[in-house]
């Protein structure tokens, strides 16, 4: 039996207000969709080009997408994540999806601007400075082009993915983004199944990433959407599944409620496969620290975090960050817990 | 006190908690059908259930295991679950 009652945990007005604010979004039910097989760049370690999904036929008919979105709405989906390979190459399909399903996010490399009429969150992926991007993504002047496309666009959040090799570059990149008044959040490279390349994290790179995230959060509080607990959860020696129990169908056999019941990951042929369904399929689960996975996996563990004030506040910070990153017009609040808190049942590292 | 509570009374009390916590409309504890499927017919999902579980933990000092959520498909099943735990603790 926990010593703290839920009533006591939510007694402080600031905490109560945050709880009431985030719980208004409990209606969000996500599924994800690969929009096209094509991409205008090719990045080392890209999730889309691992496994079978890259071989699915492309279904580019807007009417078919409209029908799919309506069917998704009928089965209770309220939020779509449009990804794989590069959604900006099919703006017409994005527009159709948005017309039918107003809430969602697009994962883009940011090289091409997505029309304003598509009112989704846009996650612009950043993998380091321009030199690094040229090397591992094969594209030049990435950051300048991304900023040019999305500066001043309230839909955009830049997602800096930490690999073991771009940790020291993050300071300059985030400073540049902050100077341009762009919002930024952090992702961790999580190895695809079978990947043994140089981007896989080590204990040393995890620790260094955590320190860097924490410093950047302190240095750019108005532009970095993150919290100390996000840093702990994503740079822990254990991956998300081991820490929290993954709620996506690929690891979760329950079909009764939650993501195990509702979540599907559609491929470009509009088919889906329960055995492969998660936000970043073909990721090696023990190495999964992906920001999109954490958004659902950590958020779903409300009960475990309702144990003591710091743990509950940390969870609220995590959910607040998740909503700010994924929902257009949701503004992140001040973090309620400034110190690092261990995931329930585990240590800090 | 709670241990001796009849199941019917417990169902009414928990219905009240669910209505209040989940802001359910057009239903009262008396009209809440305890055999409705909470997911398919009431629209409750895992986060809602976790919220209710926390309030029930406060109210009855009984913990609902996360692993048990899938079994708690109706108000009656939740009430029986709490009733059983209260009886076991008696
Ligand atoms: S890759 Fe991550 S999100 Fe996907 S099933 Fe594995 S642990 Fe879950």
């Amino acid at each position: 039996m926990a010593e703290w009652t839920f009533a006591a945990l939510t007694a402080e007005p600031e905490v109560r207000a945050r709880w009431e604010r985030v719980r208004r979004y409990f209606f969000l039910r996500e599924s994800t969709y690969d929009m096209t097989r094509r991409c205008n760049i090719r990045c080392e370690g890209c999730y889309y080009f691992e496994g079978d999904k890259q071989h699915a036929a492309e279904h580019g008919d807007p009417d078919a997408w409209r029908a799919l979105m309506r069917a998704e709405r009928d089965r209770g989906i309220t939020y779509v994540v449009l990804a794989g390979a590069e959604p900006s190459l099919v703006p017409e399909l994005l527009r159709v999806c948005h017309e039918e399903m107003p809430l969602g996010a697009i994962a883009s490399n940011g090289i091409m601007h997505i029309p304003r009429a598509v009112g989704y969150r846009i996650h612009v992926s950043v993998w380091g400075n321009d030199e690094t991007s040229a090397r591992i993504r094969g594209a030049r002047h990435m950051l300048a082009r991304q900023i040019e496309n999305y500066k001043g666009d309230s839909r955009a959040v830049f997602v800096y993915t930490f690999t073991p090799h771009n940790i020291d570059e993050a300071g300059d990149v985030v400073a540049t983004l902050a100077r341009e008044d762009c919002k930024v959040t952090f992702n961790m490279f999580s190895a695809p199944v079978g990947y043994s390349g140089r981007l896989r994290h080590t204990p040393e790179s995890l620790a260094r990433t955590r320190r860097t995230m924490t410093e950047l959060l302190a240095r750019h509080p108005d532009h970095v959407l993150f919290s100390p607990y996000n840093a702990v959860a994503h740079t822990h020696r254990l991956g998300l599944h081991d820490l929290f129990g993954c709620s996506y169908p690929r690891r979760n056999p329950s079909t009764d409620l939650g993501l195990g019941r509702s979540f599907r990951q559609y491929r470009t042929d509009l088919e889906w496969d329960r055995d492969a369904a998660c936000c970043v399929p073909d990721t090696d689960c023990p190495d999964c620290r992906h920001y999109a996975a954490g958004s659902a996996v950590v958020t779903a563990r409300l009960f475990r975090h309702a144990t003591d004030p710091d743990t509950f506040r940390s969870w609220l910070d995590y959910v607040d960050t998740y909503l700010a990153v994924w929902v257009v017009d949701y503004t992140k609040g001040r973090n309620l817990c400034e110190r690092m808190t261990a995931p329930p049942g585990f240590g800090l590292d | 006190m709670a241990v001796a509570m009849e199941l019917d009374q417990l169902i009414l009390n928990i219905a009240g908690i669910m209505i209040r916590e989940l802001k359910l409309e057009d239903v009262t504890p008396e009209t809440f059908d305890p055999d409705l499927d909470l997911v398919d017919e009431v629209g409750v999902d895992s986060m809602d259930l976790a919220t209710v579980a926390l309030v029930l933990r406060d109210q009855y000092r009984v913990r609902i295991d996360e692993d048990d959520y899938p079994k708690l498909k109706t108000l009656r099943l939740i009430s029986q679950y709490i009733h059983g735990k209260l009886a076991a603790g008696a």
Side-chain angles (χ1 to χ4, degrees), chain B residues 9-27:
Chain B
Q9 184 58 45
L10 194 58
I11 289 174
L12 279 178
N13 293 0
I14 295 178
I17 288 170
M18 292 185 76
I19 290 166
R20 190 180 69 236
E21 288 304 321
L22 306 182
K23 299 183 173 49
L24 302 179
E25 289 170 359
D26 304 325
V27 64

Side-chain angles (χ1 to χ4, degrees), chain A residues 190-191 239-242 245-252 276-290 292-294 297:
Chain A
S190 307
L240 291 165
H241 178 58
D242 286 339
C246 178
S247 26
Y248 284 98
R250 207 172 136 213
R251 292 315 297 251
N252 163 21
C278 85
C279 56
V280 275
D282 301 302
T283 300
D284 183 11
C285 291
D287 197 52
C288 175
R289 297 180 177 81
H290 198 273
V297 173

Side-chain angles (χ1 to χ4, degrees), chain A residues 82 85-88 106-112 114 122-126 137 146 150:
Chain A
L82 311 182
E86 177 44 48
S88 63
I106 298 170
S108 173
N109 59 35
I111 292 178
M112 277 179 51
I114 293 170
I122 297 173
H123 288 182
V124 179
S125 63
V126 181
R137 311 187 79 177
Q146 292 168 326
Y150 288 108

